[in-house]
Every structure is written in C-alpha cells, then in structure tokens.
Amino acid sequence: MRMVLHFDSRTVTEPVLSRTTLKTGALINILRASVGARRGEILIEVEDEKAKEVEEILKTQGVDVIELVGAVQKDDEKCVHCGACISICPTEALKFNGEKRVIVEAEKCVHCGACTKVCPTEALTLPF
Amino acid sequence: MVKSVEEINQKIREGNVRVVTAAEMKEIVAELGPEQAAKEVDVVTTGTFGAMCSSGAFFNFGHSDPPIKMQRVWLNDVEAYTGVAAVDAYLGATQLSETEEGYGGGHVIETLVEGKEVELRATAYGTDCYPRKEIVTEISLDDVNQAVMLNPRNAYQRYNAATNSSNRILRTYMGTLLPNFGNVTFAGTGEISPLNNDPEYRTIGVGTRIFLCGAKGYVIGEGTQHAPPYGTLMVKGNLREMDPEYMKGAYFPGYGATLFVGIGIPIPILDAEMAKFTAVRNSEIETKILDFGVARRGRPVVRKVTYEELISGKVEINGEEVRTSPLSSFYMAERIMNELKRQIEKGEFLLTSPVDRIPREEVFKPMRQREIRVVKSVMVKAFTISPDTGIEDAAKLIIEKGVNHLPVVKDGKLIGIVTSWDVAKAVALKKAGTVSEVMTKNVVVTFPEEPVEIAARKMEKNSISALPVVDSKRNVLGIVTSEDLSRLLAR
C-alpha cells in the first residue's frame, strides 16, 4: 500500500516515521519526500498487512494520510501515443504495448509527476 | 516489368488493386524478392504522425459591414499573420496565445476542425474603403470562405535525435531532456515514413495526392530546409475535410506550442526498384544523436545511430544504456497507413503522378550573419582576490575600483566569487574574517569564444549578474556583467 503523508509545521519536525516503525514493526519504504520548514510531503510504501496499523499510528501523531490507489491517470481522448513520457519515467511505469499504444503499469508508478510535466497533449494527471 | 500510375488507378477503379502497408511490404520483398513483389503489389501505404511545428492554415474570413482591412487579427487570442490582404490571414501552429499558457495556433486549428467556434478579434487603421477599426466576433469553419492547411515543412524523412550532456534539465522542441545523458528523444517513423520509402523522390513530388489529417491533400513542393536524406515536404489540404482524430494541438513545456499532424502517402510500385525502396528497414536508416546541452548551431554529434536502435527503447552512450522516447506516434502512423489502404481498396483514393520532381540534392545552409558576438569582445578586466583576503579589504577594493564582483583565485585558478552583496551582508552581520567564508564556491563561468547570447542566458537562468571569463585551465581572463551585455544586446 502506498500513502501520501502531509506534515504541518508541528509534525514536520517530529520523527514520526521512526516512531511508527518502532511501534508497528512495519518496514516503511520512502519513495519520494519533499520536506520544508513549515510543511512536508512524503510518499511511503508499506506492506499491505501492516497498512491499517501504520495509518492509525501516523494519524494519532497528527499526520494527514491519503491512501494511494491507482497510478498516474492517462486520458485516452488526449493521448496520441507519441511516447514522449516513456524515457522520463524513473521507474519504467510507462511503456508501449504490442499495439504501440502507451500504457501505464500502475504497480510501478511512484507518483513523482515527471511524466505529467512533459506530456505535449496534457493527457497525464496525478490522481490527488 | 513496368507499371504506370494510370494502370494502377485502373485497377483501383476495377476493385482489384493490391495495396499493402509499408510495414507489410518489408516481409513481402524479403520473401519474394523485388521483381516478384513488384508484380504482386501495386501500392504501398506509408505513414507518419508527429509534432510538425512548421504547420498552419490560411483563412479568408469574408467581409464585415462596414468593411475592415485587418492590420492585426487574433483567433482565441493567438495572433495570425495578416499581411496577405484585407480579410486573409495565416495562422501558424507555433504562435502562442497572448493570454493562456500552454495554448497556441495548433490548438486553434484543432478546435476549428472539431467543428467548434473560436473568437475572432481584429484591429485596423481604417481607410476610405475599409473604415472599420476593430471587430470582435465568433467564427467556425462553416462561416469562413476558405480554410486551407498549408504546411511549409512536414514529413521529415529522418531527424536528428537529441540528448543532453549538461547537468540541468532542458526543455526543448525535442521534448524534455534529462541531465547527464539521462535520455534520448527522436522523431520520425523510420521505415514506414513516406520519404524513406521513396528516397529518390521518384513518385513523391509536386502534385502528389496524400492523406493529410483525414483529408485528401497534396504535396506542393519540397519543404523548407529540405536537405536529402533529411528531406521534407510542403503540403496543403482543405481544413474543412479534415478529421480531428488525425491531428492534435500540442504544447511542449518550456518550448512552446505545435501541432501533431498525420500524413499518409501512397507509393505506386512501378517497378522492382520501387519495390526495393519500400523494403527499407530501420536498421538501414541512420541518423545522429546531437547534444542539446551545447546551445550552438553546431551541436556536437554524440554518435551515429539507426532507427532500429532508437525504436528498441535503449541506445548506448559512453558505455551506458540510455532509454529513448519517440516523439512521433507509431500507433497513429499505423492507423493512417491502414486507413489509406482501406480508402484505396474501396476506390475512394486515386493516385497521381507528380507534375514535377523535388530536388534530390540540396544543402541546408546556415544563416549569413554580420558577426557572431562572443564574450571576448565584451569582457572587462577582472579584479581578483585571494581566498585569505580580509572582508574589509574586499570592501575597499569594491569601492575603489567601482565593481560589484571579485573572482577569488588560488594558484592562478578560479575557486570562488564574492559580490558586493556578500560583503555588505558580512559587514551588516559584523562578520570579520576572510572572503573564503562568504564566497560562492560553485561559480558559473563563461569562455572567451562563447556567444554573448549564451552568456546572457546563463545569467538569466541562474539569476546572477556576472560571469568570470576563464580559459580551459580555469585561469581568470576577465569578467562579463549583465550591464555590459544588456547595453550590447540593446544596440
């Protein structure tokens, strides 16, 4: 399970992830993090069995948690299957299928947003 | 055995023509050989679908009452060129909207082809016969007299691929290029692309009927920048007959607007030579990967490459695998080839013989310039200091010499830079000590032979106001400041 964590000016200075790991024993993989002085956003991956528990502990510490379902969204009305996004994706989540159409492999997407900034027809958007 | 275009058209009319796509033809020739393939196949359809910046449309809007001689005209806030006649204009695909980011001429054309209305706004100076000075109205393709797509340069035979050696991300017309050779982008559809299947331009020439964005269009000559084997075509077609499915307004972030254009060209298989041409493979089509990290006309060639390698998704650069991205849609190109094949088989599309050939040899000349202004010609003497210079001494030097920047040099090499701001800040915070504590260590530099426009861009990109000029060993030769450059560029 992937989750986006939003930190406010108070929680951003707390070791919330370490505390969560100690309390739950869950292994937390940080996929992407952007932390500033007053707020932060971290994308984490947690094994599914521990997901609910981790989410609870994070919430009690004042972190805003959004469960991520799905990956980058592609509007097939807009996509012309040029492939400009393919070499930009750090995790190779975008690729051609046998028909030379661009497809998203949802389980590989880390929601970095790199592809959404390069698409010439604005066909790609992040779901949150 | 030799066939004529007229004989092939007769077969189309009779419904017994044999049409295959360029993708299918490779296999047929491999199996039967060119002689036999030429007997069996009458037409090969080719296709391409890519961002073709050099695209646009002519419009005649009709006359208003009272009449206006449009001096300037905008369609959805995108300006079109009016120096044609009173109510004629040419809208270019790359012209940007004056009010909406990410929107341009290509989007306006697509909107019109979708059957929607756009806002027309025009201004004029007013004459005896055209007294009106401004107009705002809505128009659709049904309202105008003519709407003709006319693209000066389309269907590139092959195109240079792009990569980026620099350490920052580049936003280009070849898409986004990641730093340190992070990716390669390429354009063109290789072995199924029209001109690669007729490299001598025997059947594609002036007057060739083509599939242009769903309409029947025509080649009207070689395109601008036509330089075989990087050949291009100038094409036209009726916008009203086009299908929005085969075009798409686009915007390359950080570069600008453009239009994806779908082109299909039927190639009559007149003889064994044409069969052989249409058997061309991606592995035989070569191009170059250029380094867009160098913003000069003569971008360095990183390596030669074939379309087979580019299409495989990975190429090797300096011993490392680099992922590739096409900018043309192979999916759409395939659909265009199949649609054109269907139309010919149904007798809806007849072939034409060219009325004139396009050049087989042409050179792509660079611009003749009065001069290329380089940094060397505008740099001034730099007053350098050593890293153990005291902050107060640096302040004195700044005042005495009337400068704002002091390059810091150790053993003759540039190691940092101190600005008047750094010194003022250090004094205000009552920092005593040496400049090594307050200097900027990552210095952006320029070189004596670098064009001033590139130096200016470096300053703009990094929000700085001066660049030390260094040689290849980082010895400081001088300094250029934004003040010097703006004075020069304003001239």
Short mmCIF file of all heavy atoms in Angstrom, two decimals, chain A residues 77-78 80-90 92 96 99-101 117-121, chain B residues 49 171 176 178 183 248-253 260 323-332 334:
data_model
loop_
_atom_site.label_atom_id
_atom_site.label_comp_id
_atom_site.label_asym_id
_atom_site.label_seq_id
_atom_site.Cartn_x
_atom_site.Cartn_y
_atom_site.Cartn_z
N GLU A 77 -8.54 10.10 -24.56
CA GLU A 77 -9.06 11.03 -25.56
C GLU A 77 -7.93 11.97 -26.01
O GLU A 77 -7.88 12.40 -27.15
CB GLU A 77 -10.18 11.89 -24.96
CG GLU A 77 -11.43 11.13 -24.65
CD GLU A 77 -12.27 10.92 -25.91
OE1 GLU A 77 -12.61 11.91 -26.55
OE2 GLU A 77 -12.54 9.74 -26.24
N LYS A 78 -7.05 12.28 -25.06
CA LYS A 78 -6.00 13.26 -25.35
C LYS A 78 -4.70 12.60 -25.82
O LYS A 78 -3.95 13.19 -26.58
CB LYS A 78 -5.70 14.10 -24.10
CG LYS A 78 -6.81 15.05 -23.71
CD LYS A 78 -6.40 15.85 -22.49
CE LYS A 78 -7.46 16.87 -22.10
NZ LYS A 78 -7.13 17.49 -20.81
N VAL A 80 -1.94 10.73 -27.76
CA VAL A 80 -1.75 10.32 -29.16
C VAL A 80 -0.70 9.19 -29.24
O VAL A 80 -0.28 8.82 -30.32
CB VAL A 80 -1.34 11.49 -30.06
CG1 VAL A 80 -2.48 12.51 -30.17
CG2 VAL A 80 -0.07 12.17 -29.59
N HIS A 81 -0.26 8.71 -28.08
CA HIS A 81 0.69 7.59 -28.02
C HIS A 81 2.03 7.93 -28.67
O HIS A 81 2.62 7.11 -29.36
CB HIS A 81 0.08 6.33 -28.65
CG HIS A 81 -1.27 6.01 -28.08
ND1 HIS A 81 -1.42 5.42 -26.84
CD2 HIS A 81 -2.52 6.24 -28.54
CE1 HIS A 81 -2.72 5.29 -26.58
NE2 HIS A 81 -3.40 5.79 -27.59
N CYS A 82 2.49 9.18 -28.46
CA CYS A 82 3.78 9.56 -29.04
C CYS A 82 4.92 8.91 -28.26
O CYS A 82 5.94 8.56 -28.85
CB CYS A 82 3.94 11.07 -29.10
SG CYS A 82 4.09 11.90 -27.50
N GLY A 83 4.77 8.79 -26.95
CA GLY A 83 5.81 8.15 -26.15
C GLY A 83 6.80 9.12 -25.53
O GLY A 83 7.81 8.69 -24.97
N ALA A 84 6.54 10.43 -25.62
CA ALA A 84 7.46 11.42 -25.04
C ALA A 84 7.67 11.18 -23.54
O ALA A 84 8.72 11.53 -23.00
CB ALA A 84 6.93 12.84 -25.27
N CYS A 85 6.70 10.56 -22.88
CA CYS A 85 6.77 10.32 -21.44
C CYS A 85 7.66 9.13 -21.07
O CYS A 85 8.11 9.02 -19.93
CB CYS A 85 5.36 10.07 -20.90
SG CYS A 85 4.46 8.76 -21.79
N ILE A 86 7.90 8.25 -22.03
CA ILE A 86 8.48 6.94 -21.68
C ILE A 86 9.88 7.02 -21.06
O ILE A 86 10.14 6.42 -20.02
CB ILE A 86 8.43 6.00 -22.91
CG1 ILE A 86 6.97 5.57 -23.12
CG2 ILE A 86 9.32 4.77 -22.71
CD1 ILE A 86 6.74 4.66 -24.27
N SER A 87 10.78 7.77 -21.68
CA SER A 87 12.15 7.79 -21.15
C SER A 87 12.29 8.70 -19.94
O SER A 87 13.33 8.74 -19.30
CB SER A 87 13.14 8.21 -22.25
OG SER A 87 12.93 9.56 -22.60
N ILE A 88 11.24 9.44 -19.62
CA ILE A 88 11.26 10.36 -18.48
C ILE A 88 10.96 9.61 -17.18
O ILE A 88 11.43 9.97 -16.11
CB ILE A 88 10.19 11.47 -18.69
CG1 ILE A 88 10.54 12.33 -19.91
CG2 ILE A 88 10.00 12.32 -17.46
CD1 ILE A 88 11.80 13.14 -19.79
N CYS A 89 10.16 8.56 -17.28
CA CYS A 89 9.68 7.85 -16.08
C CYS A 89 10.83 7.10 -15.38
O CYS A 89 11.45 6.23 -15.98
CB CYS A 89 8.59 6.86 -16.47
SG CYS A 89 8.06 5.87 -15.07
N PRO A 90 11.11 7.45 -14.12
CA PRO A 90 12.25 6.83 -13.45
C PRO A 90 12.05 5.35 -13.13
O PRO A 90 13.00 4.62 -12.93
CB PRO A 90 12.38 7.65 -12.16
CG PRO A 90 11.05 8.24 -11.93
CD PRO A 90 10.43 8.44 -13.28
N GLU A 92 10.09 3.18 -15.08
CA GLU A 92 9.63 2.48 -16.28
C GLU A 92 8.18 2.01 -16.16
O GLU A 92 7.81 0.92 -16.58
CB GLU A 92 10.58 1.31 -16.63
CG GLU A 92 12.01 1.78 -16.80
CD GLU A 92 12.94 0.73 -17.39
OE1 GLU A 92 12.47 -0.12 -18.15
OE2 GLU A 92 14.16 0.80 -17.10
N PHE A 96 5.22 1.00 -24.13
CA PHE A 96 4.37 0.67 -25.26
C PHE A 96 3.83 -0.74 -25.08
O PHE A 96 4.57 -1.64 -24.66
CB PHE A 96 5.17 0.73 -26.56
CG PHE A 96 5.46 2.12 -27.04
CD1 PHE A 96 6.75 2.59 -27.13
CD2 PHE A 96 4.42 2.97 -27.39
CE1 PHE A 96 7.02 3.88 -27.58
CE2 PHE A 96 4.67 4.26 -27.84
CZ PHE A 96 5.97 4.71 -27.93
N GLU A 99 0.47 -3.07 -29.39
CA GLU A 99 -0.15 -2.26 -30.44
C GLU A 99 0.51 -0.90 -30.59
O GLU A 99 -0.01 -0.04 -31.28
CB GLU A 99 -1.62 -1.97 -30.07
CG GLU A 99 -2.58 -3.07 -30.32
CD GLU A 99 -3.99 -2.56 -29.99
OE1 GLU A 99 -4.24 -2.20 -28.83
OE2 GLU A 99 -4.82 -2.49 -30.91
N LYS A 100 1.63 -0.70 -29.89
CA LYS A 100 2.34 0.58 -29.89
C LYS A 100 1.53 1.69 -29.24
O LYS A 100 1.66 2.87 -29.57
CB LYS A 100 2.78 0.99 -31.31
CG LYS A 100 3.80 0.01 -31.87
CD LYS A 100 3.92 0.11 -33.35
CE LYS A 100 4.81 -1.00 -33.88
NZ LYS A 100 4.42 -1.44 -35.22
N ARG A 101 0.65 1.30 -28.33
CA ARG A 101 -0.06 2.30 -27.53
C ARG A 101 0.68 2.46 -26.21
O ARG A 101 1.24 1.51 -25.68
CB ARG A 101 -1.49 1.82 -27.24
CG ARG A 101 -2.40 1.88 -28.45
CD ARG A 101 -3.66 1.09 -28.20
NE ARG A 101 -4.54 1.76 -27.26
CZ ARG A 101 -5.60 2.47 -27.63
NH1 ARG A 101 -5.92 2.58 -28.90
NH2 ARG A 101 -6.37 3.06 -26.74
N LYS A 117 4.58 16.52 -16.48
CA LYS A 117 5.17 17.80 -16.90
C LYS A 117 5.74 17.76 -18.31
O LYS A 117 6.17 18.78 -18.83
CB LYS A 117 6.28 18.21 -15.92
CG LYS A 117 5.78 18.48 -14.51
CD LYS A 117 6.91 19.07 -13.67
CE LYS A 117 6.64 18.90 -12.19
NZ LYS A 117 7.09 17.59 -11.67
N VAL A 118 5.79 16.60 -18.93
CA VAL A 118 6.38 16.54 -20.28
C VAL A 118 5.36 16.21 -21.36
O VAL A 118 5.65 16.33 -22.55
CB VAL A 118 7.54 15.52 -20.37
CG1 VAL A 118 8.59 15.81 -19.31
CG2 VAL A 118 7.06 14.09 -20.28
N CYS A 119 4.17 15.76 -20.98
CA CYS A 119 3.20 15.33 -21.98
C CYS A 119 2.74 16.50 -22.85
O CYS A 119 2.19 17.47 -22.35
CB CYS A 119 1.98 14.70 -21.30
SG CYS A 119 0.74 14.23 -22.51
N PRO A 120 2.96 16.41 -24.17
CA PRO A 120 2.60 17.54 -25.04
C PRO A 120 1.10 17.75 -25.21
O PRO A 120 0.67 18.80 -25.65
CB PRO A 120 3.27 17.21 -26.37
CG PRO A 120 3.64 15.78 -26.33
CD PRO A 120 3.69 15.35 -24.90
N THR A 121 0.30 16.74 -24.87
CA THR A 121 -1.15 16.92 -25.03
C THR A 121 -1.87 16.96 -23.68
O THR A 121 -3.09 16.88 -23.63
CB THR A 121 -1.75 15.78 -25.90
OG1 THR A 121 -1.52 14.53 -25.23
CG2 THR A 121 -1.12 15.73 -27.27
N PHE B 49 3.09 10.43 -38.00
CA PHE B 49 2.23 11.26 -37.15
C PHE B 49 3.13 11.85 -36.07
O PHE B 49 3.53 11.16 -35.15
CB PHE B 49 1.13 10.40 -36.50
CG PHE B 49 0.11 11.19 -35.72
CD1 PHE B 49 -1.09 11.60 -36.30
CD2 PHE B 49 0.34 11.53 -34.39
CE1 PHE B 49 -2.02 12.32 -35.58
CE2 PHE B 49 -0.60 12.26 -33.66
CZ PHE B 49 -1.79 12.64 -34.26
N ARG B 171 14.35 21.85 -21.59
CA ARG B 171 13.01 21.75 -22.20
C ARG B 171 13.16 22.20 -23.64
O ARG B 171 13.46 23.36 -23.89
CB ARG B 171 12.03 22.67 -21.47
CG ARG B 171 12.03 22.50 -19.97
CD ARG B 171 11.00 21.50 -19.55
NE ARG B 171 11.01 21.32 -18.10
CZ ARG B 171 10.41 20.31 -17.51
NH1 ARG B 171 9.78 19.40 -18.23
NH2 ARG B 171 10.45 20.18 -16.21
N THR B 176 11.49 16.88 -23.24
CA THR B 176 12.31 17.16 -22.07
C THR B 176 13.52 16.24 -22.08
O THR B 176 13.39 15.03 -22.21
CB THR B 176 11.47 16.96 -20.79
OG1 THR B 176 10.40 17.91 -20.82
CG2 THR B 176 12.31 17.20 -19.55
N LEU B 178 16.72 14.92 -20.01
CA LEU B 178 17.24 14.79 -18.65
C LEU B 178 18.75 15.06 -18.65
O LEU B 178 19.43 14.84 -19.65
CB LEU B 178 16.94 13.39 -18.12
CG LEU B 178 15.46 13.02 -18.07
CD1 LEU B 178 15.28 11.55 -17.69
CD2 LEU B 178 14.71 13.90 -17.07
N ASN B 183 18.46 10.70 -21.09
CA ASN B 183 17.55 10.06 -22.06
C ASN B 183 17.87 10.56 -23.46
O ASN B 183 18.69 11.46 -23.65
CB ASN B 183 16.07 10.32 -21.70
CG ASN B 183 15.68 11.78 -21.80
OD1 ASN B 183 16.52 12.68 -21.73
ND2 ASN B 183 14.40 12.03 -21.97
N LYS B 248 -3.56 16.92 -33.65
CA LYS B 248 -3.71 17.21 -32.23
C LYS B 248 -2.86 18.43 -31.88
O LYS B 248 -1.65 18.44 -32.11
CB LYS B 248 -3.22 16.00 -31.42
CG LYS B 248 -3.52 16.10 -29.95
CD LYS B 248 -4.88 15.52 -29.66
CE LYS B 248 -5.32 15.83 -28.25
NZ LYS B 248 -6.76 15.66 -28.09
N GLY B 249 -3.51 19.44 -31.34
CA GLY B 249 -2.78 20.60 -30.83
C GLY B 249 -1.91 20.15 -29.67
O GLY B 249 -2.32 19.30 -28.88
N ALA B 250 -0.71 20.69 -29.57
CA ALA B 250 0.20 20.21 -28.54
C ALA B 250 1.02 21.36 -27.98
O ALA B 250 1.12 22.43 -28.58
CB ALA B 250 1.13 19.14 -29.10
N TYR B 251 1.61 21.10 -26.82
CA TYR B 251 2.45 22.10 -26.17
C TYR B 251 3.60 21.39 -25.51
O TYR B 251 3.39 20.50 -24.68
CB TYR B 251 1.63 22.87 -25.13
CG TYR B 251 2.37 24.03 -24.52
CD1 TYR B 251 2.42 25.26 -25.19
CD2 TYR B 251 3.01 23.91 -23.29
CE1 TYR B 251 3.11 26.33 -24.64
CE2 TYR B 251 3.69 24.98 -22.74
CZ TYR B 251 3.73 26.19 -23.42
OH TYR B 251 4.41 27.26 -22.88
N PHE B 252 4.81 21.74 -25.91
CA PHE B 252 5.99 21.15 -25.28
C PHE B 252 6.41 22.08 -24.14
O PHE B 252 6.84 23.20 -24.41
CB PHE B 252 7.12 20.98 -26.29
CG PHE B 252 6.96 19.77 -27.16
CD1 PHE B 252 5.95 19.71 -28.11
CD2 PHE B 252 7.79 18.67 -27.02
CE1 PHE B 252 5.77 18.59 -28.90
CE2 PHE B 252 7.61 17.53 -27.81
CZ PHE B 252 6.61 17.50 -28.75
N PRO B 253 6.25 21.63 -22.89
CA PRO B 253 6.54 22.51 -21.76
C PRO B 253 7.94 23.12 -21.87
O PRO B 253 8.90 22.42 -22.14
CB PRO B 253 6.44 21.56 -20.55
CG PRO B 253 5.52 20.48 -21.00
CD PRO B 253 5.80 20.29 -22.47
N PHE B 260 0.44 18.19 -33.81
CA PHE B 260 0.68 16.84 -34.32
C PHE B 260 -0.10 16.72 -35.63
O PHE B 260 -1.30 17.01 -35.66
CB PHE B 260 0.17 15.78 -33.34
CG PHE B 260 1.14 15.44 -32.24
CD1 PHE B 260 1.01 15.99 -30.98
CD2 PHE B 260 2.17 14.55 -32.47
CE1 PHE B 260 1.89 15.67 -29.96
CE2 PHE B 260 3.07 14.21 -31.46
CZ PHE B 260 2.92 14.77 -30.21
N ARG B 323 17.75 5.27 -22.07
CA ARG B 323 16.42 4.99 -22.60
C ARG B 323 15.99 6.03 -23.62
O ARG B 323 16.37 7.20 -23.53
CB ARG B 323 15.41 4.89 -21.47
CG ARG B 323 15.56 3.54 -20.74
CD ARG B 323 14.36 3.24 -19.90
NE ARG B 323 14.31 4.12 -18.76
CZ ARG B 323 13.20 4.60 -18.26
NH1 ARG B 323 12.04 4.32 -18.80
NH2 ARG B 323 13.23 5.37 -17.19
N THR B 324 15.21 5.61 -24.60
CA THR B 324 14.78 6.52 -25.67
C THR B 324 13.27 6.73 -25.62
O THR B 324 12.53 5.88 -25.15
CB THR B 324 15.12 5.94 -27.05
OG1 THR B 324 14.39 4.72 -27.24
CG2 THR B 324 16.60 5.66 -27.19
N SER B 325 12.87 7.89 -26.11
CA SER B 325 11.45 8.21 -26.27
C SER B 325 11.22 8.71 -27.68
O SER B 325 11.90 9.63 -28.11
CB SER B 325 11.04 9.37 -25.34
OG SER B 325 10.57 8.92 -24.11
N PRO B 326 10.26 8.13 -28.40
CA PRO B 326 9.91 8.73 -29.69
C PRO B 326 9.05 9.98 -29.45
O PRO B 326 8.49 10.14 -28.37
CB PRO B 326 9.09 7.64 -30.37
CG PRO B 326 8.60 6.76 -29.29
CD PRO B 326 9.45 6.94 -28.08
N LEU B 327 8.97 10.82 -30.44
CA LEU B 327 8.06 11.97 -30.36
C LEU B 327 6.99 11.85 -31.44
O LEU B 327 6.09 12.66 -31.53
CB LEU B 327 8.84 13.28 -30.55
CG LEU B 327 9.89 13.54 -29.46
CD1 LEU B 327 10.85 14.62 -29.92
CD2 LEU B 327 9.23 13.93 -28.16
N SER B 328 7.12 10.82 -32.27
CA SER B 328 6.11 10.55 -33.28
C SER B 328 5.33 9.34 -32.81
O SER B 328 5.87 8.48 -32.14
CB SER B 328 6.77 10.21 -34.62
OG SER B 328 7.63 11.25 -35.01
N SER B 329 4.05 9.29 -33.18
CA SER B 329 3.22 8.18 -32.73
C SER B 329 3.21 7.05 -33.76
O SER B 329 2.69 7.21 -34.86
CB SER B 329 1.79 8.67 -32.48
OG SER B 329 0.96 7.56 -32.23
N PHE B 330 3.82 5.93 -33.40
CA PHE B 330 3.82 4.77 -34.29
C PHE B 330 2.42 4.17 -34.38
O PHE B 330 2.03 3.62 -35.41
CB PHE B 330 4.85 3.74 -33.82
CG PHE B 330 6.27 4.20 -34.07
CD1 PHE B 330 6.93 5.00 -33.17
CD2 PHE B 330 6.92 3.84 -35.24
CE1 PHE B 330 8.22 5.45 -33.42
CE2 PHE B 330 8.20 4.28 -35.50
CZ PHE B 330 8.86 5.09 -34.59
N TYR B 331 1.68 4.28 -33.30
CA TYR B 331 0.31 3.78 -33.28
C TYR B 331 -0.54 4.53 -34.31
O TYR B 331 -1.25 3.91 -35.11
CB TYR B 331 -0.27 3.94 -31.87
CG TYR B 331 -1.74 3.66 -31.78
CD1 TYR B 331 -2.23 2.36 -31.85
CD2 TYR B 331 -2.66 4.70 -31.62
CE1 TYR B 331 -3.60 2.11 -31.78
CE2 TYR B 331 -4.01 4.46 -31.55
CZ TYR B 331 -4.48 3.17 -31.62
OH TYR B 331 -5.83 2.93 -31.56
N MET B 332 -0.43 5.86 -34.29
CA MET B 332 -1.22 6.66 -35.23
C MET B 332 -0.74 6.47 -36.67
O MET B 332 -1.54 6.44 -37.60
CB MET B 332 -1.18 8.15 -34.83
CG MET B 332 -1.98 8.51 -33.59
SD MET B 332 -3.73 8.07 -33.71
CE MET B 332 -4.25 9.10 -35.09
N GLU B 334 0.52 3.85 -37.96
CA GLU B 334 -0.01 2.55 -38.39
C GLU B 334 -1.48 2.68 -38.79
O GLU B 334 -1.92 2.15 -39.80
CB GLU B 334 0.15 1.57 -37.22
CG GLU B 334 -0.08 0.12 -37.55
CD GLU B 334 1.20 -0.61 -37.96
OE1 GLU B 334 2.30 -0.22 -37.51
OE2 GLU B 334 1.07 -1.57 -38.72
#
